[in-house]
Amino acid sequence: MLGVVASGAGGVEGLFDGLVRPALDAGWRVGVTLTPTAGRWFRDKGLVAEIEEATGLPLRVDSRLPGEPKPHPPVDTYVVAPATANTVAKLALGFGDNQALTQVSEAIGTDGVEVVVFPCVNAAHVRHPAWPGHIANLRSAGVHLVDGEDVWPLTEPRSGEWHPIPWRAVLDAVDGTRP
Ligand SMILES: Cc1cc2nc3c(=O)[nH]c(=O)nc-3n(C[C@H](O)[C@H](O)[C@H](O)COP(=O)(O)O)c2cc1C
């Protein structure tokens, strides 16, 4: 079971074609959870139904009520792509203030659950003094980071430079977590 988690970064609207569909085609069962920001974008663009139809599971944004069953089966691998600077920082610190973070923060501390993260960040995010610590925290916890100049060259904010989300590299990292 693959838990796909996505946050409010440019290009997240391509999640279905870039990550969900190929993962299903590769034989994964897939459940999708979005941060509240990404959830708002997906509802606005009418992108929820195709995901729910293809995965056969509800797209999660909100937490369940205590008496409700868990809407998704247990996950073997989580992939957080794209992960905003905000979501990376909160994951690195163990925050769980939305459903997406609740799932992945717990997974980072759970033996046997793999976590892949693609930080969709710019050069300014990376210059924040807390950033190196966040990345070091995640690496030391065994999180597989999809990053580096060849995969995601950093651009300056408002530079007008734009790169498509490297879905192929994300899928390769997910594939690498298969037992
Ligand atoms: C069109 C648009 C594109 C954005 N792209 C990014 C991005 O690529 N990376 C990033 O860290 N934040 C980006 N943001 C800012 C995040 O959406 C914002 O920090 C938000 O609070 C993130 O919330 P989340 O991490 O819970 O999804 C973007 C915002 C907008 C409106």
Side-chain angles (χ1 to χ4, degrees):
M1 174 74 190
L2 180 67
V4 168
V5 170
S7 56
V12 69
E13 297 89 345
L15 186 73
F16 182 73
D17 288 334
L19 181 52
V20 174
R21 182 79 266 163
L24 289 166
D25 290 346
W28 290 95
R29 189 163 191 215
V30 177
V32 178
T33 304
L34 302 179
T35 63
T37 305
R40 207 157 62 88
W41 295 4
F42 273 53
R43 278 194 299 273
D44 177 60
K45 291 237 156 56
L47 297 173
V48 174
E50 68 178 348
I51 288 176
E52 294 192 328
E53 274 164 31
T55 62
L57 291 168
L59 183 149
R60 297 196 70 181
V61 176
D62 300 320
S63 61
R64 70 186 168 93
L65 292 171
E68 288 175 345
K70 294 187 176 178
H72 291 175
V75 163
D76 304 293
T77 295
Y78 275 104
V79 54
V80 189
T84 61
N86 174 61
T87 287
V88 171
K90 292 203 280 186
L91 272 182
L93 296 172
F95 279 37
D97 66 350
N98 61 50
Q99 182 57 34
L101 287 169
T102 297
Q103 291 174 202
V104 185
S105 285
E106 186 175 276
I108 287 173
T110 304
D111 271 352
V113 181
E114 303 280 354
V115 179
V116 173
V117 174
F118 161 57
C120 189
V121 293
N122 62 35
H125 294 136
V126 169
R127 283 194 295 265
H128 188 286
W131 185 259
H134 294 329
I135 294 300
N137 274 350
L138 293 174
R139 276 197 210 286
S140 72
V143 170
H144 308 273
L145 288 160
V146 179
D147 63 358
E149 192 61 24
D150 47 336
V151 175
W152 187 249
L154 296 175
T155 57
E156 292 296 332
R158 288 169 292 282
S159 64
E161 274 189 87
W162 177 85
H163 300 290
I165 291 184
W167 295 117
R168 187 65 261 163
V170 172
L171 284 159
D172 287 347
V174 167
D175 207 43
T177 68
R178 272 203 158 131

